[in-house]
């Protein structure tokens, strides 16, 4: 499975196109609640088929974290019709390739396949929506696989470990504090019954939707998909996520020590998502700070300052609930973490005191729009955009993105920096190198100060 972090890099932003998504998409909802979002693209005789389930780490209860990701693994283990691994072999025999990913907000399965083989993928997805085999013989070995995956991707990766710890401190009440792969102790404690309950609760047609982009006739494809997914009975509605993160209680800080060569700083600010009018300006702020070698972080911290090997910013705009704006930097040798953090925060101070120049603003908007123009050549990317926006509320919001960006002024960028990137709203994580022989330690220290 591919890391969702990689996919997040792809979900930059929709931009200019000759037609809006709203003008191109054919939408259909079946009586059992299954939704279809179909977009014809006849540039090549291929198609991307994605089935999205509205379940991720956000939907998991303490003690059973990681079940959504575990189910993603198990979906390739076979159904009452097709044996273990048969799904992937069938797709491969038909010239396609497939994969899946799990995030905080959802789980997605996809295949890229020749347009005359689309029905093969649709039939397989309809089958495993309700006919998955879950038994101890398959469950226990896969649990060990996930535990090993966690060790490789989190426990033995100092920066990933820092991000996991930082999220747990940034969110005290909301399940965004939970890692997608699950806490290690939870993985050890999973029971088959937990997984079966997760599957029965969330893998229902009324908790899923299909996104298809490619060389097909939308009406014909909709009819064929309806014949396969329509007979699946509607399930009980998925439980509502009622957890809500309260206002920040003050600046917080965590320090971890792991075997690493250089210090790393990550700073989270709690910020609103795309449903807030400030989201467009936050997006432009992210680009001003970190997009390319002309960005402020690269110029001042990496190229001229010689303080960091790398520095960046990221904004979780399409999260279902309000999430984070994050600044990161990895220290150059001989640069202390204190000096690096001060340099990183000085960038925030600078944009709070003065808006970006007209040149910076124009360049940031051009970067966003050009990113989209190039991305439209990718069927996968277009499907990903539609699916991501649908998961976060409504795929039509993708068409609001560029008009919102174009309205952003330099003063808007300064204002959102002043409003959201505040000390009270900040959680800082520091990775300090430890000797490789030293035993791994959890958070060395964590402190929160009321401001």
């Amino acid at each position: 499975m591919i890391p969702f972090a990689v996919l997040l890099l792809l979900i930059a932003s929709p931009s200019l196109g000759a037609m809006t998504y709203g003008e191109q998409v054919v939408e259909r909802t079946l009586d059992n609640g299954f939704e279809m979002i179909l977009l014809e693209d006849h540039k090549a005789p291929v198609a991307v088929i994605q089935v999205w389930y509205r379940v991720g780490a956000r939907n998991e209860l303490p003690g059973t974290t990681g079940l959504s990701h575990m189910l993603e693994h198990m979906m390739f283990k076979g159904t009452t019709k097709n044996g273990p691994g048969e799904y992937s072999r069938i797709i491969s025999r038909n010239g396609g390739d497939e994969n899946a990913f799990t995030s905080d907000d959802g789980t997605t399965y996809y295949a890229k396949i020749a347009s005359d083989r689309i029905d093969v993928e649709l039939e397989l997805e309809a089958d495993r929506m309700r006919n998955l085999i879950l038994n101890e013989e398959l469950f226990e070995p896969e649990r060990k696989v996930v535990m090993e995956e966690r060790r490789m991707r989190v426990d033995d990766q100092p920066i990933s470990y820092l991000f996991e710890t930082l999220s747990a401190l940034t969110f005290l009440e909301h399940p965004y504090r939970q890692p997608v792969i699950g806490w290690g102790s939870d993985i050890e404690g999973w029971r088959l019954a937990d997984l079966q309950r997760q599957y029965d609760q969330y893998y229902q047609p009324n908790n899923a939707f299909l996104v298809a982009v490619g060389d097909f006739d939308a009406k014909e494809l909709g009819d064929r998909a309806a014949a396969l997914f329509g007979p699946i009975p509607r399930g009980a509605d998925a439980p509502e996520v009622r957890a809500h993160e309260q206002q920040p209680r003050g600046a917080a800080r965590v320090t971890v020590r792991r075997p690493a060569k250089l210090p790393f700083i990550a700073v989270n600010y709690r910020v609103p998502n795309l449903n807030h009018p400030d989201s467009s300006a936050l997006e432009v702020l992210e680009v001003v700070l970190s997009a390319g070698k002309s960005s402020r972080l690269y110029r001042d911290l990496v190229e001229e300052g010689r303080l960091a090997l790398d520095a960046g910013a990221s904004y979780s705009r399409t999260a279902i609930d309000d999430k984070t704006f994050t600044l990161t930097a990895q220290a150059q040798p001989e640069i202390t973490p204190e000096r690096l953090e001060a340099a990183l925060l000085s960038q925030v101070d600078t944009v709070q005191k003065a808006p970006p120049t007209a040149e910076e603003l124009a360049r940031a908007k051009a970067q966003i729009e050009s990113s989209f123009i190039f991305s439209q050549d990718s069927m996968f990317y277009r499907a990903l955009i539609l699916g991501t926006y649908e998961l976060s509320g409504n795929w039509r919001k993708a068409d609001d993105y560029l008009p919102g960006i174009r309205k952003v002024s330099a003063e808007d960028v300064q204002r959102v920096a002043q409003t959201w990137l505040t000390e009270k709203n900040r959680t800082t994580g520091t990775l300090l190198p430890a000797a490789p022989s030293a035993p791994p330690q959890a958070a060395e220290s964590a402190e929160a100060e009321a401001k």
Side-chain angles (χ1 to χ4, degrees):
M1 306 309 126
I2 61 177
F4 188 70
V6 174
L7 290 168
L8 285 180
L9 295 177
L10 298 174
I11 307 173
S13 32
S15 55
L16 282 177
M19 297 176 67
T20 65
Y21 284 117
E23 293 170 319
Q24 300 174 78
V25 165
V26 173
E27 187 178 29
R28 184 171 174 180
T29 302
L30 305 182
D31 290 343
N32 61 7
F34 187 66
E35 303 169 36
M36 292 184 271
I37 301 166
L38 311 175
L39 175 60
E40 294 184 24
D41 183 339
H42 300 285
K43 287 195 294 287
V46 295
V48 172
I49 307 296
Q50 298 177 349
V51 174
W52 293 67
Y53 290 91
R54 300 179 190 275
V55 57
R58 174 178 176 273
N59 305 91
E60 295 165 351
L61 299 175
T64 59
T65 61
L67 283 178
S68 303
H69 172 254
M70 177 62 173
L71 259 181
E72 178 204 315
H73 278 240
M74 298 302 291
M75 284 284 277
F76 295 87
K77 295 301 176 183
T79 67
T80 53
K81 182 178 180 181
N82 298 301
E86 193 61 20
Y87 168 86
S88 298
R89 285 192 287 271
I90 291 173
I91 293 297
S92 180
R93 281 201 301 270
N94 283 275
D97 61 79
E98 42 69 29
N99 214 319
F101 58 89
T102 306
S103 72
D104 283 325
D105 294 329
T107 310
T108 307
Y109 302 88
Y110 66 86
K112 291 176 281 187
I113 199 164
S115 52
D116 62 351
R117 308 296 173 91
I118 293 175
D119 288 7
V120 173
E121 163 64 0
L122 293 178
E123 186 175 343
L124 289 167
E125 291 293 2
D127 175 43
R128 64 180 181 170
M129 177 176 283
R130 288 307 315 142
N131 298 321
L132 190 66
I133 294 176
L134 296 173
N135 58 38
E136 293 288 354
E137 183 180 353
L138 297 170
F139 172 67
E140 284 300 332
E142 203 59 28
R143 182 217 302 267
K144 294 177 181 175
V145 170
V146 173
M147 184 62 82
E148 179 64 9
E149 182 181 348
R150 180 189 159 82
R151 184 189 67 76
M152 293 176 61
R153 291 188 173 177
V154 181
D155 298 328
D156 289 351
Q157 295 293 328
I159 293 176
S160 297
Y161 186 85
L162 173 67
F163 276 119
E164 182 181 270
T165 309
L166 183 63
S167 291
L169 187 60
T170 302
F171 296 96
L172 301 178
E173 300 153 273
H174 193 281
Y176 280 158
R177 72 189 316 274
Q178 302 168 167
V180 171
I181 199 168
W183 299 112
S185 57
D186 288 354
I187 296 173
E188 290 177 352
W190 285 341
R191 299 171 182 170
L192 179 61
D194 298 328
L195 198 65
Q196 185 70 57
R197 189 181 310 112
Q198 186 87 349
Y199 179 65
D200 292 341
Q201 196 162 55
Y202 292 103
Y203 279 58
Q204 301 288 349
N206 45 309
N207 196 52
F209 60 90
L210 169 73
V211 179
V213 177
D215 183 34
F216 52 74
D217 180 279
K219 183 180 183 311
E220 291 178 2
L221 180 61
D223 290 343
R224 300 203 301 274
L228 292 165
F229 289 92
I232 303 173
R234 181 188 182 94
D237 291 337
E240 178 185 4
V241 176
R242 299 172 63 181
H244 178 72
E245 190 73 22
Q246 299 299 310
Q247 292 299 310
R249 304 178 187 188
R253 175 181 299 275
V254 63
T255 301
V256 301
R257 290 183 182 274
R258 308 290 284 184
K261 293 182 178 178
L262 297 166
F264 187 92
I265 304 291
V267 181
N268 271 349
Y269 294 93
R270 292 253 312 280
V271 297
N273 64 9
L274 76 169
N275 295 316
H276 194 283
D278 284 351
S279 66
S280 296
L282 285 166
E283 191 83 354
V284 174
L285 174 61
E286 176 199 352
V287 175
V288 168
L289 288 176
S290 70
K293 294 187 176 180
S294 59
S295 67
R296 294 187 176 193
L297 289 177
Y298 186 86
R299 183 193 62 209
D300 294 346
L301 271 67
V302 178
E303 189 173 59
E304 297 179 4
R306 303 289 182 183
L307 300 171
L309 292 174
D310 194 19
S314 61
Y315 169 39
S316 308
R317 181 173 186 271
T318 53
I320 291 178
D321 299 316
D322 293 348
K323 214 172 181 187
T324 52
F325 189 104
T326 304
L327 303 175
T328 59
Q330 183 160 45
Q332 288 265 18
E334 311 301 327
I335 299 300
T336 66
E338 292 80 9
R339 186 178 176 192
L340 182 64
E341 180 182 335
L344 200 57
L345 296 183
S346 74
Q347 296 293 321
V348 175
D349 186 59
T350 298
V351 77
Q352 287 174 335
K353 289 179 177 175
T357 65
E359 181 183 352
E360 284 180 308
L361 185 67
R363 183 168 58 236
K365 291 183 178 181
Q367 286 174 309
I368 292 171
E369 296 201 358
S370 64
S371 170
F372 174 74
I373 290 171
F374 287 114
S375 72
Q376 295 307 289
D377 284 337
S378 166
M379 291 183 186
F380 180 83
Y381 181 88
R382 301 180 84 189
L384 194 63
I385 285 290
L386 288 168
T388 301
Y389 274 84
E390 176 63 18
L391 194 65
S392 63
N394 192 318
W395 61 265
R396 293 176 182 80
K397 290 183 178 179
D399 285 330
D400 297 335
Y401 179 78
L402 277 180
I405 293 294
R406 296 188 192 111
K407 293 177 183 175
V408 172
S409 67
E411 289 70 29
D412 290 332
V413 177
Q414 180 187 22
R415 177 181 53 75
V416 298
Q418 293 171 337
T419 302
W420 300 106
L421 306 194
T422 63
E423 184 177 17
K424 181 180 180 181
N425 207 22
R426 184 172 72 212
T427 308
T428 304
T430 303
L431 167 67
L432 296 179
S437 58
Q441 299 181 38
E444 286 268 313
S445 64
E447 57 186 68
E449 305 170 6
K451 299 290 181 181

